[in-house]
Amino acid sequence: MISASDRKNAVMLIKEAVAAGESLDKACEEFGFKERTYYRWIRLKKETGSYDDLRPNAERKTPANKLSAEERQTVIETVNQPEYASMPPCELVPALADKGIRLGQGRRGIYRTH
């Protein structure tokens, strides 16, 4: 991620380049990003008063397919058993399936497709 100070400097330099006659597209290209990024940073500054990236602190919904704490613990205990510990998922899942073991429920189950 690009720091707020680097974003501020890039915006300032791009504005100077555009004022001197360079196209916005070319000025942004020199920094290695698209106009869309530039406009997003400008909008961010207007809305929050800062160029700080908000993604690290964004609230995120819990995935619908997240394993419960109990399911996760069962998976960990199972895959760490000596007979399974060295198996990659593509071997582990069929081996467990042969024994009638499915970890997780519904779509949250541990599986591997090729």
Side-chain angles (χ1 to χ4, degrees):
M1 286 193 246
I2 300 172
S3 69
S5 61
D6 286 345
R7 288 177 182 206
K8 180 180 178 180
N9 289 335
V11 168
M12 180 188 68
L13 292 170
I14 288 170
K15 285 181 179 181
E16 285 179 19
V18 170
E22 185 64 65
S23 72
L24 180 59
D25 181 49
K26 292 288 185 194
C28 290
E29 188 177 302
E30 285 295 317
F31 281 93
F33 53 80
K34 305 282 184 190
E35 287 179 62
R36 182 176 179 177
T37 300
Y38 171 81
Y39 286 123
R40 190 177 70 243
W41 291 351
I42 296 295
R43 187 181 70 244
L44 178 66
K45 175 68 171 167
K46 280 184 188 175
E47 292 174 358
T48 67
S50 171
Y51 289 105
D52 288 330
D53 194 330
L54 302 178
R55 291 174 293 178
N57 301 321
E59 290 186 28
R60 292 175 176 82
K61 295 189 304 184
T62 301
N65 62 345
K66 181 177 179 179
L67 294 173
S68 69
E70 296 82 22
E71 290 170 327
R72 186 175 190 280
Q73 188 60 38
T74 300
V75 168
I76 291 170
E77 289 170 1
T78 302
V79 301
N80 283 314
Q81 291 177 11
E83 62 186 298
Y84 305 123
S86 63
M87 287 185 175
C90 63
E91 293 176 11
L92 173 66
V93 173
L96 292 173
D98 288 344
K99 293 183 178 184
I101 300 171
R102 178 174 166 82
L103 302 175
Q105 298 176 2
R107 296 195 69 190
R108 296 185 306 207
I110 303 285
Y111 62 90
R112 182 67 144 202
T113 58
H114 298 303

